[in-house]
Each structure stands twice: as C-alpha cells, then as structure tokens.
Amino acid sequence: MTTATLEREAQSRLAAYGVRFTRGRRAVVLALAEAQGPRTVAELAEVLGPSVPVSSLYRTLTVLEESGVVVPHYGTRGLTRYELAEWATGHHHHLVCIECGTVDDLEIPEGLEQRVEAVVEELADDQGFEPAGHSLEIEGRCRSCH
Amino acid sequence: MTTATLEREAQSRLAAYGVRFTRGRRAVVLALAEAQGPRTVAELAEVLGPSVPVSSLYRTLTVLEESGVVVPHYGTRGLTRYELAEWATGHHHHLVCIECGTVDDLEIPEGLEQRVEAVVEELADDQGFEPAGHSLEIEGRCRSCH
DNA sequence: CTCAATAACGATACTCATTCTCATTCAGTA
DNA sequence: TACTGAATGAGAATGAGTATCGTTATTGAG
Ligand SMILES: [Mn+2]
Ligand SMILES: [Mn+2]
Ligand SMILES: [Zn+2]
Ligand SMILES: [Zn+2]
C-alpha cells in the first residue's frame, strides 16, 4: 500500500469517525507504517521527537484506535503497543521475544491460515462465543537475545 | 491432575528454584487450579480474601513465575493475568472477550495443534528466532457480552 | 478578510497496577 | 529453646496511562 493510499484511507476513516486528519495524527500513522511490528508509546516518541508530545501521542493513539486506523497489542509485559489495522497491513501474526520484548510481524502460509480460521469459527460457535478475530504468536528469543 | 500431584510438582519446582512451598504460595496455586482461565491479581485477591495480602500476592506470583509454576498472560488491556504452567494444565489456548476482558481456556483439535507446531518451528527457524512456545487466541464477545 | 465557534493540542495533575522497602514474623536447624 | 536466613505485610515509591483545563489552530459564516 502506498503512502498516498494509506493517508487517503486513514483520512477517510477519521472523517467517518468525525475528526480531522491533523499533522500529528499523520505523523503517527506514517511512523507506524515504517515499523516492522507494533510499537510502544516510548518507541514512537523516540522516532517522532518533540514534535508530538507524549500526552498528545497517547490521545492521538486513542483516537486512531477508536476510528479503526490502528489496533492495540497487549502481548508483552506491562506495555501497550500499537500497529496499523489489518486493512493497512494485511492479516499477519507476530514473533514475540520473551527476553527483550520486541515484537516483529510474521506472515504464515495461506493453508494454515485457512485452517486456523475454520477452527476459530467452529470452536467459537461451540462456546457461544462471537469471534471477531484471532492472534497466533510465536514466543521465543530473537536473534539479538539468543 | 490431582491436587496432591499438583502440590507435589509445585513443591518440587519451588525446591529446585531454592525457595519454600509456604501456606500463601500453596493457596495461590490452588486458587489458580480452580480457575477456568488466567486470573488477575484482583480476581485472586477476591477469592483468597485477606489471608493473602495484595503485596504478598504480587511477590508470590513473581516467585511462582520464576520457578516455572505459573505463567503470565498479557492479552488484556492494562492487566496481567496468571495461570498454571502447561505441565499442570496441558497445552491449550484462549478465548478473550474484547468487551469485558475475561479469558477462558480452550482446547483445539490435535490435528490443528500439530500443524501449528510444525509451522512455528519452520517459520521461527527462517527468522533466526528460537521458539519457546506459541499462543493462539480467539478474540470476540463472550456469551455475557453478546 | 475577520471573527466567533469548535476541534485539537500540550503541560500538568492525577490514577492505579505493580514494585520496592524495611521492620517483623516464621521455619528449619543445632 | 536459640539462632539465622527466608518469608511476610504494611506502606511508600514508581511509572504507564488518563483526565483536566487553559491555549492554539482550524473552520466557516458573514
Ligand atoms: Mn503486526
Ligand atoms: Mn489458560
Ligand atoms: Zn529479544
Ligand atoms: Zn465478555
């Protein structure tokens, strides 16, 4: 997805939610587009510098989440991470380092993906659970933490 | 697994880690054994009552985690949950309610489990990642939150 | 273009889950 | 029983995340 398309889509979702696509919001969306996995507020603050103060960063991420532009990820100790929603990234999974906490994106083979989805539908139904998505994460030690 | 076996195993792991299996630690292990999914400190405190003060509960869970008796679960906003490790529960997955945050245990068919494991090994290897486990979670709305 | 009206921003105070500290109590051993 | 390190528990400290509120930027009517 090109940057222009990404911006247009984000713009449109924010508009549908009834808010503007401001400079700060654009900066956060673009920073997340550069990332190879979900990012913490601290990591984003590092990349963005003082142009987006931390209090604004938190508020921006909340707005982006509520408008469906980003999704939160809670897979690592004590820290919430954010990434662009699946309309932007495509469906994918994660490698989570249990040592340093970094999270990287990961694609899995289409065949497995389809079987996972089938099982998700079936099991969820059995339990009176209304499925909205699934996450498959591989936990272990990343290259740097071996 | 019987309560007696569970206690013996927990005992042994704590001993290997060099600490005692005290009354408070036993109470926490048994409370987790009763649960149908990972539990927050607040939920455990509710069940355990004042016999295990919150500051002790946190410390106890840290010790149990370090000795391999319990594992943390970070799948819901802002709260860490704990459950008995897989040697006690068997390998399983979770249903996570995106509305109320409750998490329930879930078994998946053996066939899928094996395929997931095969893919985990293969993909992790490709990425120079040393896999230690995986988690497959179904997100959606639970019966009470439909 | 000017001027309200409204949205967004940013510094700061606050909340609350979790961790730390330290004085006290407990358990194992001689 | 007395000694000693482990464990406990009350409360203080920490820090990620949220709420507040005065200021600034954007919008659109006139
Ligand atoms: Mn991702
Ligand atoms: Mn579980
Ligand atoms: Zn790592
Ligand atoms: Zn629910």
Side-chain angles (χ1 to χ4, degrees):
Chain A
M1 180 176 271
T2 70
T3 295
T5 306
L6 173 61
E7 291 198 25
R8 187 156 11 86
E9 278 291 315
Q11 160 81 269
S12 140
R13 277 157 210 272
L14 286 165
Y17 182 65
V19 300
R20 303 178 192 146
F21 192 37
T22 61
R23 190 186 328 283
R25 289 168 186 171
R26 187 183 334 276
V28 172
V29 168
L30 294 180
L32 288 173
E34 291 297 312
Q36 300 309 302
R39 292 289 179 260
T40 62
V41 165
E43 288 164 350
L44 289 170
E46 174 80 13
V47 169
L48 293 166
S51 67
V52 182
V54 173
S55 66
S56 299
L57 188 43
Y58 276 108
R59 181 154 19 79
T60 294
L61 287 165
T62 300
V63 169
L64 291 175
E65 179 186 348
E66 287 166 351
S67 56
V69 175
V70 307
V71 293
H73 176 271
Y74 308 119
T76 43
R77 174 140 249 160
L79 290 178
T80 302
R81 291 169 176 273
Y82 289 91
E83 64 183 339
L84 294 178
E86 294 196 344
W87 59 261
T89 60
H91 179 68
H92 65 276
H93 298 274
H94 294 124
L95 290 170
V96 180
C97 180
I98 57 184
E99 196 74 29
C100 68
T102 58
V103 183
D104 276 327
D105 289 340
L106 173 74
E107 307 275 340
I108 71 174
E110 180 61 22
L112 182 74
E113 187 60 52
Q114 287 175 351
R115 281 208 61 193
V116 168
E117 262 162 42
V119 170
V120 163
E121 290 298 328
E122 185 186 323
L123 289 182
D125 254 30
D126 286 357
Q127 318 265 332
F129 196 87
E130 180 180 275
H134 68 267
S135 78
L136 170 63
E137 318 218 324
I138 302 181
E139 296 139 12
R141 270 170 252 279
C142 73
R143 221 184 287 271
S144 336
C145 292
H146 269 185
Chain B
M1 180 177 271
T2 69
T3 294
T5 307
L6 172 61
E7 290 197 26
R8 186 156 11 84
E9 278 291 315
Q11 160 82 267
S12 140
R13 278 157 210 272
L14 285 166
Y17 182 66
V19 301
R20 304 180 190 144
F21 191 38
T22 60
R23 192 187 330 283
R25 289 168 186 171
R26 179 178 285 102
V28 172
V29 168
L30 295 180
L32 287 173
E34 291 296 313
Q36 300 308 302
R39 292 289 179 260
T40 62
V41 166
E43 288 164 350
L44 289 171
E46 173 81 14
V47 169
L48 294 166
S51 68
V52 182
V54 174
S55 67
S56 299
L57 187 42
Y58 276 106
R59 181 153 20 78
T60 294
L61 287 166
T62 300
V63 169
L64 291 176
E65 179 185 349
E66 288 167 350
S67 57
V69 175
V70 306
V71 293
H73 177 271
Y74 306 116
T76 43
R77 176 145 246 160
L79 290 178
T80 302
R81 292 169 177 273
Y82 290 90
E83 64 183 340
L84 294 178
E86 295 197 344
W87 59 261
T89 61
H91 179 68
H92 65 277
H93 298 275
H94 294 123
L95 291 170
V96 180
C97 180
I98 57 184
E99 196 73 30
C100 68
T102 59
V103 183
D104 276 327
D105 289 340
L106 173 73
E107 306 276 339
I108 71 174
E110 181 60 23
L112 182 72
E113 187 61 51
Q114 286 175 352
R115 284 206 58 192
V116 169
E117 262 162 43
V119 170
V120 163
E121 289 299 328
E122 184 186 323
L123 289 183
D125 254 28
D126 286 355
Q127 318 266 331
F129 195 88
E130 180 180 273
H134 68 268
S135 78
L136 170 62
E137 317 219 326
I138 303 181
E139 296 139 13
R141 269 170 254 277
C142 73
R143 222 185 285 272
S144 337
C145 291
H146 270 187

